[in-house]
Amino acid sequence: MSKFTLPVRLALLVAGTTLPLIVFAVGLAYYNYQQDRSDATRRVLENVRSMRLVLDSEVQRMTGGLQVLALTNSLRNDDFPNFRRIALGFLDQYGKGGLVLISDRKGRLLFSSATEDTASQPLRGNLEIIEKVFATKTPQYSDLFTGSINQRQILTVEVPVIRDGEVVYDLCFSPPISIFQELLEKQRPDRRWTVSLLDGKGIVFARAPNPTETFGKQAPPSFNAEIFRSNEASLSTVSLDGTALAAAFTRSRVTSWTVAAGVAESSLIAPLWRNIAITSLIGGILLLIGLTFAVRMATTIARGEMLHNLLIDELNHRVKNTLALMQAIAVQTFRSASRDERTKFEGRLGALAEAHNLLSQEKWAGSELKDVIARALQPFLLNGPERIRMNGPAVPLSPRLAVVLSMIVHEIATNAAKYGALSNETGRVTLEWEVIPDTPKPRLRLIWTEIGGPPVTEPVQRGFGSRLIERSARDQLGGEATVDFLPRGVVCTVICTLDEAR
């Protein structure tokens, strides 16, 4: 073997072992990017659904208030001077900029909260929605239009005033647009997110960021076409600011308005390039080191045959170290978990975080049991708050009890949402608690009862959630937890000793 052939062969050996590792690491980075992008899209869709629920709740609160106004004696008797006092009280809860109007079918104003001189006011704008109120006898929600009274872009909530089964007036409320902007800002998960509210025609009436520059503008054509094609979807689009987004939207069945949100594609792809760069850099350094050692060792071997075997062993040792180091980098950098495991972990972490948030608000002086339970059950109350009934006395909890009970209630509710009464449309849950007088310390008994769920069968083996409930009650609360799989539904009972809330 010549002194030139040996270095070349060793260089090829090092390159042949290092380069596949680099390619494999890059492949793992790209796979993780695809997983992260999929998870991000799912989170965006979950967030727009949540924001839509909040928007619908706010609009239904407005509608309910107007329907109460429509039933007042003042309005029944056409006593508009007295009705003015009631209407102004309704407007006070929404701040400045709100307007209440009453008009007939032709749009002639009979009452305006802005002025007592309705005779000099022009006809109502958007006569089409007034006609819908009279025709359908149901509340209606407008798209963005220019009001004839204040000449501003407005949205309206309109309800019928009915006498003897017939609509006699249209009662209209134009809320301040700032209400929707504030609602959007509160629900925006992160400053890097772009979130928008659009009317039934795809016109922006609230947005973050850049609300002033985008108000009244049509959504981008590709996005606009998609929201008229389906009520809910995830897609890639470009925002009004020219930013590429991984976005999602959902349309409200109440108002036909659309909630849209997205995260910048650049924020998703940046970690991919960073991981590829780090992997390539480390791989290049390792390759360079390996080649350097190969050349140096081969040169040394060429100088003396007697050191040949020793140097070959040293080269093998260094190559093994290189492979081990690359394997460790891949495991640490690109480890991943299944979506179900990640969801469970995030849920438990979320329950723990909510308990800590509540304790932080109370300066870690303890908290009320009802507040702790409400925080833990908040995700399960969004779609049907009436399905979970809570009843029990005021019970102050120490920080330790608050955190542990929050985790226990979250686990019970999670099981109910997956397998029990909260997994269908008809199931209901009753959560009751009482304080048992005892010495030296009173005890708390909390009973979770399910009815109306799927048929109950006792599981063959207990999962992590069941073990967490039992062990937490026994080891951390000094009490016990029992789960009874009755034919009518699961009953879970937790008993623990109460500490003094500090």
Side-chain angles (χ1 to χ4, degrees):
M1 180 184 297
S2 70
K3 63 179 181 180
F4 297 106
T5 303
L6 183 59
V8 171
R9 290 183 176 180
L10 289 176
L12 292 174
L13 175 64
V14 173
T17 55
T18 306
L19 289 176
L21 285 175
I22 296 174
V23 173
F24 178 70
V26 171
L28 279 178
Y30 183 73
Y31 173 77
N32 281 345
Y33 159 71
Q34 294 286 7
Q35 290 294 105
D36 291 344
R37 194 183 189 286
S38 175
D39 291 343
T41 303
R42 175 180 53 81
R43 288 197 303 272
V44 173
L45 184 57
E46 290 173 353
N47 273 278
V48 295
R49 286 171 178 168
S50 176
M51 285 187 277
R52 186 205 66 208
L53 290 174
V54 174
L55 175 64
D56 285 348
S57 176
E58 179 63 26
V59 173
Q60 287 172 333
R61 185 170 73 90
M62 296 178 187
T63 306
L66 288 177
Q67 289 172 326
V68 171
L69 292 182
L71 296 174
T72 58
N73 289 330
S74 298
L75 197 51
R76 285 179 179 272
N77 300 326
D78 294 334
D79 183 3
F80 293 124
N82 190 49
F83 180 74
R84 178 175 299 279
R85 176 182 57 80
I86 301 172
L88 293 177
F90 170 79
L91 288 173
D92 283 344
Q93 62 185 309
Y94 295 102
K96 296 181 180 180
L99 183 65
V100 171
L101 302 173
I102 298 176
S103 63
D104 62 14
R105 191 164 193 162
K106 295 182 178 180
R108 290 179 296 216
L109 282 183
L110 305 174
F111 172 85
S112 170
S113 61
T115 178
E116 296 182 8
D117 181 17
T118 56
S120 63
Q121 297 296 308
L123 290 177
R124 274 280 315 276
N126 199 1
L127 295 178
E128 294 86 355
I129 196 169
I130 298 176
E131 183 58 36
K132 276 188 179 180
V133 171
F134 275 84
T136 64
K137 300 181 182 180
T138 59
Q140 300 294 322
Y141 308 93
S142 80
D143 295 325
L144 205 62
F145 70 98
T146 302
S148 60
I149 296 176
N150 53 24
Q151 297 300 309
R152 291 196 308 237
Q153 293 283 292
I154 60 172
L155 294 160
T156 60
V157 179
E158 322 226 2
V159 301
V161 179
I162 300 176
R163 293 182 193 166
D164 300 325
E166 296 298 326
V167 180
V168 293
Y169 300 136
D170 173 277
L171 177 57
C172 167
F173 172 46
S174 171
I177 293 294
S178 60
I179 286 178
F180 301 108
Q181 185 64 37
E182 290 170 4
L183 181 148
L184 200 68
E185 294 285 358
K186 289 179 181 178
Q187 296 298 314
R188 186 183 182 193
D190 191 286
R191 288 186 175 275
R192 293 171 295 181
W193 283 52
T194 297
V195 291
S196 304
L197 297 181
L198 304 95
D199 68 11
K201 296 179 180 177
I203 304 296
V204 175
F205 64 89
R207 188 180 186 271
N210 305 324
T212 305
E213 293 82 352
T214 54
F215 180 81
K217 289 186 177 181
Q218 189 85 36
S222 60
F223 187 81
N224 216 30
E226 191 64 33
I227 65 176
F228 289 114
R229 189 177 297 118
S230 60
N231 290 326
E232 182 177 276
S234 300
L235 70 162
S236 296
T237 187
V238 178
S239 72
L240 289 170
D241 306 315
T243 303
L245 299 176
F249 69 86
T250 182
R251 184 187 294 269
S252 167
R253 297 184 184 273
V254 176
T255 61
S256 293
W257 299 342
T258 299
V259 180
V263 292
E265 292 277 6
S266 59
S267 67
L268 300 177
I269 203 169
L272 170 65
W273 292 119
R274 183 172 61 250
N275 289 338
I276 290 177
I278 293 174
T279 302
S280 301
L281 177 62
I282 294 175
I285 293 173
L286 292 175
L287 179 60
L288 181 61
I289 292 173
L291 291 174
T292 301
F293 274 106
V295 172
R296 292 185 64 181
M297 287 180 183
T299 302
T300 302
I301 291 172
R303 291 174 181 173
E305 192 65 27
M306 58 183 306
L307 298 177
H308 179 268
N309 293 333
L310 177 63
L311 292 178
I312 289 295
D313 290 340
E314 177 65 11
L315 176 62
N316 289 336
H317 175 69
R318 292 185 182 276
V319 171
K320 288 179 181 179
N321 284 345
T322 300
L323 293 174
L325 181 57
M326 287 298 296
Q327 184 180 21
I329 291 171
V331 170
Q332 292 299 318
T333 305
F334 308 107
R335 65 179 182 271
S336 62
S338 70
R339 178 175 297 179
D340 184 57
E341 291 172 341
R342 189 176 300 176
T343 301
K344 288 180 181 179
F345 176 75
E346 290 175 353
R348 287 162 182 152
L349 190 61
L352 185 62
E354 286 296 333
H356 278 257
N357 286 340
L358 181 59
L359 292 170
S360 297
Q361 291 176 6
E362 301 296 332
K363 307 299 183 185
W364 285 89
S367 55
E368 281 290 333
L369 173 61
K370 188 171 184 179
D371 294 336
V372 171
I373 292 174
R375 286 273 186 141
L377 294 180
Q378 185 177 6
F380 307 93
L381 294 171
L382 292 177
N383 292 327
E386 75 285 348
R387 297 181 63 187
I388 302 180
R389 185 175 65 86
M390 295 179 284
N391 183 38
V395 181
L397 299 178
S398 66
R400 180 180 67 88
L401 284 176
V403 171
V404 178
L405 285 175
S406 175
M407 296 294 292
I408 289 176
V409 170
H410 171 79
E411 288 300 327
I412 298 173
T414 299
N415 288 335
K418 292 179 67 176
Y419 313 110
L422 299 182
S423 66
N424 62 13
E425 299 296 329
T426 59
R428 289 175 290 131
V429 172
T430 300
L431 182 56
E432 299 177 309
W433 61 88
E434 62 178 345
V435 177
I436 307 172
D438 207 345
T439 56
K441 292 182 179 181
R443 292 184 298 160
L444 170 69
R445 178 160 53 204
L446 187 147
I447 304 175
W448 172 284
T449 306
E450 301 181 18
I451 59 173
V456 176
T457 56
E458 186 168 355
V460 177
Q461 61 181 9
R462 295 180 303 163
F464 175 79
S466 299
R467 296 196 301 273
L468 185 147
I469 293 171
E470 294 177 1
R471 291 178 181 177
S472 297
R474 182 185 68 236
D475 301 338
Q476 300 185 50
L477 301 181
E480 61 177 350
T482 59
V483 180
D484 298 315
F485 297 91
L486 304 180
R488 67 175 184 273
V490 172
V491 177
C492 182
T493 305
V494 179
I495 300 176
C496 65
T497 302
L498 289 172
D499 295 336
E500 293 185 4
R502 300 177 185 177

